[in-house]
Amino acid sequence: MMKAKTHNITIAPQQERLKAKEGENLFHFLVRQDYTIPSACGGVGTCGKCRVLLLKGARAPSESERVHLTEAELEAGWRLSCIQHIDQDLVLEIPEVEESVRAKELLSKVLHIPLDSGVKKTYLEFPKSSQADQRPDTIRLQEELGEGQLTFPLPVLKKMPNLLRQEDFKATVTWAANHVLDMEPGDTTRAQYGVAIDIGTTTLAGYLLNLNTGEEVAVRSRMNPQRSFGDDVISRIKQAHERGEEGLRELQKAVTSGINIVINHLCQTARVSPAHIYKATVAGNPTMIHLFTGIDPSNIAHSPFIPVLRDSLILPALGLGLDMNPEGQVHILPSISGYVGADITAGILYTKLHQAEGIQLFIDIGTNAEIVLGNKDRLLACSTPAGPALEGARIKYGMNALPGAIAYVFLNDRDLKLETIGDRAPKGICGSGLIDLGGELCKLGLINERGNFGRRVDLPISNRIRQGEKGQFQFLVSDGSKPIYLTQQDVRELQLAKGAIRSGVEMALRELGVTLDEVEVVYLAGAFGTYVRRESVLRIGMLPELPLSKIKPVGNTAGQGAKLCLLNQGKWEEIQRLAEQMEYFELSYLKDFSQAFIGSMHFPKHPHLE
Amino acid sequence: MMKAKTHNITIAPQQERLKAKEGENLFHFLVRQDYTIPSACGGVGTCGKCRVLLLKGARAPSESERVHLTEAELEAGWRLSCIQHIDQDLVLEIPEVEESVRAKELLSKVLHIPLDSGVKKTYLEFPKSSQADQRPDTIRLQEELGEGQLTFPLPVLKKMPNLLRQEDFKATVTWAANHVLDMEPGDTTRAQYGVAIDIGTTTLAGYLLNLNTGEEVAVRSRMNPQRSFGDDVISRIKQAHERGEEGLRELQKAVTSGINIVINHLCQTARVSPAHIYKATVAGNPTMIHLFTGIDPSNIAHSPFIPVLRDSLILPALGLGLDMNPEGQVHILPSISGYVGADITAGILYTKLHQAEGIQLFIDIGTNAEIVLGNKDRLLACSTPAGPALEGARIKYGMNALPGAIAYVFLNDRDLKLETIGDRAPKGICGSGLIDLGGELCKLGLINERGNFGRRVDLPISNRIRQGEKGQFQFLVSDGSKPIYLTQQDVRELQLAKGAIRSGVEMALRELGVTLDEVEVVYLAGAFGTYVRRESVLRIGMLPELPLSKIKPVGNTAGQGAKLCLLNQGKWEEIQRLAEQMEYFELSYLKDFSQAFIGSMHFPKHPHLE
């Protein structure tokens, strides 16, 4: 029996020596050895949290490492552990994740806000009742707490008399905004958590935060179980509408159970009881918010695109069936219109367009791309139908950004280099890969302005352009055991997507009456914005011609905004105000939008970024 | 076959002529003829509402008519129809019960308050959504209503989109305190009701009020089904405590189902849908309030007598299981201590002790008698253990104030006259009958100071004093087919009851530092206070020696206070303040209370009211 080849892994500064098998994934190896490595994506290379410092054995950085780490960090040897395959001896340091350090980082460095969740938890040793002190239980609590008039929910009133006497009038009370949420015997003040939830059409993300320290104690994401009812919001609305109340209930149940699985995973990871989660904040697009609350979104699907809700909502957890303290309150962030939702207001809260002096542009790309343009004086928002191409749908070999998806493509005259998510064998093309392909092919002139493939005899790479079904040209992306092509039709879908976004941006500039030069920053939000190469975005003309440095990928801003509202009541007030301030305009009602859309489908005449 | 004798009944001024059978009850006869006769007690002679004006055929007024009608009214011929048995031709007028008249009477004459329930109902014809008007449904409603920011409960949000479009954007919205309670298609603004509930240990009373007009559209009372768990609060607390959560749930279910039967009867009577009841107010003693809300009252039963609750509560109807609009709010009136409850604060609100210049005394007599003494400057409250005698318990032939109960007794040297509730054959003795017996026997010197029976040879009535079991003396009250006696032990029970009340009043006077002469009025509240003869109360020394004219029976002040809070938000605020203002003192903790109690058990030396 041949023994598998092994490598020495040395953990500095402890100088712990471990043996790892050739080819093993570093992230999973370290986790198995009981090292705490933060990860939001579970080790598939998309969250950028699992960084380690390679003192020996660092390879050239991958594109996704370039996205998540700075030049200086890469230079120093920082890499993402989840995309390292062990093929040599390594010496590495694992960053400390000691509680107070992480809390400090989260609050002061990352979110820049003071901790003020509104949830309070106090341990009290009450004076016992006696002939001289006949105060009722509620009054006793209220007066000992010294917080003025409190209201009590029935379940707390029901358990109060026995609970108080159970531990000899020693108990912990939890309350928010003068409303008591819970009582427990003894001192449980340390157990005080909140959860921020981002309901994406594709993915549910949950963030468990310690409301005492501000620490993010666990992060989880998971496919939205509603996907079995359809990939995009329109197909889900159709399901809900056609099957009436029953359909609506099923869709609500699907998303609620998905969120509950996320919450339970978060709680297991951090060893927290769901009963100690007292507050939740929820972001999501308007359809997701309607379906989560069980409200019929039907009228969003057709003109004039009317949602039921726009303002924020505060609802008891019990009524929504969430696995958290039943008296805990669920704060649903405000929306703007039928397509510009709480995910966008959360993104603006986080990126601070509403406080900017200069003009800023915020784009969240999905089946619909939401565009917000403006500054502290005025903010315009619109939604443009980018279609499903950038989420991998209607693309012959398209797929979501999951392990094995081609995320980055690099072409030169003769060679092609790919990067896949999780460094797996290529299985398909996701949105960022599609844009990279478009950009690289444009760069080499293998696609013309009108989007047609054309061979260049001077470039050996041209031989990847081949005739497929019905004599249509297609580009061979990967020729492994399962060849992957980019078809002419795929290029058309890309043109529709990028044309919708480009024309939306142009219209927003016109509506606000500003020029492109005045735009000081473009935030690309969402998973897509995080992974896409900005060069390729410009090469295909998805955005008008801008300096590359003005484009900033900002990741899941919906989740970040939800966290802000979870940790700080002032931010919850602020998001109400900014939602009021934002002006929505209906792109599809503008007379010349169709024309602009068609014009924007062309690729730029001359590659401009060589 | 002999034809039954009939009499002519002429209804003036219409001059309608009817035939009635000899001996028929006038109230039931008129109701059968479809005349609307108000009644809260269903025709058993206790509510005093069924008055008619007898132009011909009026008999000498009965004692209960003397309680409910003034001298002038009796003089004019007003009588209670339910205690008239038809034995001659009658000419009578039935008072108009036309809506507006009754509403005006109720509000301006009886309760003296403006109509301001806080519940609002508005019919709106909304502008339809369009390209030019993309407002979300909730914003559309809010802006058309022009009432500022509204909050919406989930059930309303769920039905809103379809409901709005069902009748072409014509709908009625109901809201209170900026919280939407319901939406209905079309115009339903007239259907707007509230219910005031008095949860008595013995009896549940419900009052259905039209919140548009203030009219009392129906009144119902019913036995509290919790009586199967015991007659008094202590035995119910014992049940709840011994059987734990299960017992508590059963007691709550019993009272809730009883209230729901009352509500459903009210709704049937007035042809109102329970969904159109948007507000409820609830009064009751502290144990009843705890059991109604499902909160453990155990610690009320033993020293230091600690309730869980004291302050008022506002709870959603849905959570309490009441048959009314599920989003409707149930306002539970505030209490003072473990025995001085929402029934007493409601009574003070109604009788206005908290606004009085002069010193006033309020007494609500039950198993415990609650005593409130004071004026606008200071109000003292206490509770004294009167025992169950005045509710008919522990009295050999005792019974509740139900049809057949001996309510009044008149003695002279040789004769005895009885009045029973509903003018039925005597079945037993209720509280007012017991006091009357005591008072009349004292008056004639047939009971001495120490409460012992003694024959007076000069009085033929003395032969009703006979020897019973073990040679004990007893007084023959009724010698029909089923003889009824007042025993020596019954007199002892009466002494305990009246001694507790008398000593409570004395202690309250001392605590407040006022003399008896300073007391300008004594309100006797509750069913008991309504029916008892004031002469008898004074003759047995239940109250210290006062002019008869200072004693005012005020009926069910708990129900009246609950109605005030139902109709007027200012009164709801006022009852919170007065509850805060009231000072409780624990009678049983006063060193000399026992001694005062024993001293107060003696009957007055000389009958003082001959």
Side-chain angles (χ1 to χ4, degrees), chain B residues 6 53 61 66 105 154 165 200 241 245 265 367 446 521 537 599 601:
Chain B
T6 60
L53 180 60
R66 289 199 181 282
E105 185 198 354
L154 264 186
R165 288 156 184 89
H241 184 65
E245 281 183 29
H265 280 172
T367 303
L446 297 180
V521 63
V537 166
M601 284 173 62

Side-chain angles (χ1 to χ4, degrees), chain A residues 218-346:
Chain A
V219 179
R220 277 277 172 170
S221 64
R222 186 183 175 77
M223 202 178 80
N224 185 337
Q226 286 183 342
R227 289 186 67 189
S228 60
F229 297 87
D231 273 340
D232 53 35
V233 297
I234 296 295
S235 54
R236 299 209 196 144
I237 292 176
K238 215 175 138 194
Q239 282 280 335
H241 184 66
E242 280 173 4
R243 299 173 44 235
E245 281 182 30
E246 182 56 29
L248 201 54
R249 255 198 302 277
E250 275 183 39
L251 279 152
Q252 183 183 25
K253 208 174 140 190
V255 67
T256 306
S257 65
I259 293 172
N260 280 340
I261 291 169
V262 168
I263 292 177
N264 281 299
H265 280 172
L266 290 169
C267 286
Q268 279 162 23
T269 304
R271 299 193 183 170
V272 165
S273 156
H276 288 139
I277 303 179
Y278 299 104
K279 181 180 177 183
T281 51
V282 178
N285 68 50
T287 300
M288 289 304 108
I289 296 297
H290 278 63
L291 292 176
F292 169 62
T293 47
I295 300 169
D296 186 356
S298 297
N299 301 304
I300 295 177
H302 52 80
S303 176
F305 317 110
I306 305 292
V308 175
L309 275 183
R310 186 180 76 188
D311 291 344
S312 63
L313 264 185
I314 300 179
L315 295 169
L318 189 65
L320 289 168
L322 287 195
D323 277 351
M324 52 185 279
N325 190 293
E327 296 298 325
Q329 288 191 319
V330 181
H331 292 62
I332 297 171
L333 277 53
S335 300
I336 305 298
S337 71
Y339 286 93
V340 179
D343 48 350
I344 305 306
T345 57

Side-chain angles (χ1 to χ4, degrees), chain A residues 70-86:
Chain A
T70 64
E71 269 308 318
E73 287 171 332
L74 291 169
E75 188 68 32
W78 286 99
R79 295 290 185 277
L80 301 184
S81 61
C82 77
I83 57 175
Q84 308 299 320
H85 286 171
I86 299 168

Side-chain angles (χ1 to χ4, degrees), chain A residues 32 36 76 115 141 209 306 335 361 377 456-457 552 597:
Chain A
R32 265 207 316 283
T36 304
L115 190 52
L141 190 155
L209 274 62
I306 305 292
S335 300
L361 178 62
D377 299 321
R456 276 180 61 184
V457 287
K552 297 211 170 129
F597 188 172

Side-chain angles (χ1 to χ4, degrees), chain A residues 400-546:
Chain A
N400 276 122
L402 297 172
I406 297 168
Y408 301 110
V409 182
F410 306 90
L411 297 186
N412 61 24
D413 292 0
R414 57 182 67 241
D415 289 329
L416 175 147
K417 211 186 101 196
L418 300 178
E419 261 184 38
T420 63
I421 293 180
D423 209 4
R424 307 277 178 86
K427 282 164 64 180
I429 307 165
C430 71
S432 62
L434 180 66
I435 287 176
D436 251 12
L437 275 166
E440 296 288 288
L441 291 167
C442 280
K443 175 182 79 179
L444 295 177
L446 298 179
I447 302 180
N448 69 11
E449 277 173 65
R450 302 178 56 195
N452 297 327
F453 281 116
R455 286 189 179 144
R456 276 180 61 184
V457 287
D458 56 327
L459 300 183
I461 192 87
S462 283
N463 64 17
R464 283 184 171 257
I465 298 176
R466 298 169 190 185
Q467 278 192 316
E469 288 166 27
K470 298 176 189 168
Q472 290 267 20
F473 283 117
Q474 55 187 11
F475 179 82
L476 178 64
V477 182
S478 164
D479 54 2
S481 57
K482 183 194 158 212
I484 295 170
Y485 290 95
L486 179 77
T487 70
Q488 185 65 65
Q489 185 54 36
D490 294 343
V491 178
R492 297 281 173 258
E493 295 289 342
L494 176 62
Q495 286 178 281
L496 282 170
K498 78 105 186 171
I501 295 165
R502 171 66 174 266
S503 53
V505 170
E506 302 278 8
M507 289 290 170
L509 289 167
R510 194 185 71 184
E511 289 291 309
L512 193 65
V514 296
T515 65
L516 183 61
D517 289 345
E518 291 177 69
V519 176
E520 63 178 26
V521 63
V522 180
Y523 293 113
L524 288 185
F528 180 84
T530 309
Y531 306 122
V532 75
R533 274 206 300 154
R534 297 164 296 173
E535 298 88 328
S536 299
V537 166
L538 291 175
R539 278 178 186 140
I540 63 168
M542 179 181 276
L543 292 178
E545 212 165 311
L546 282 159

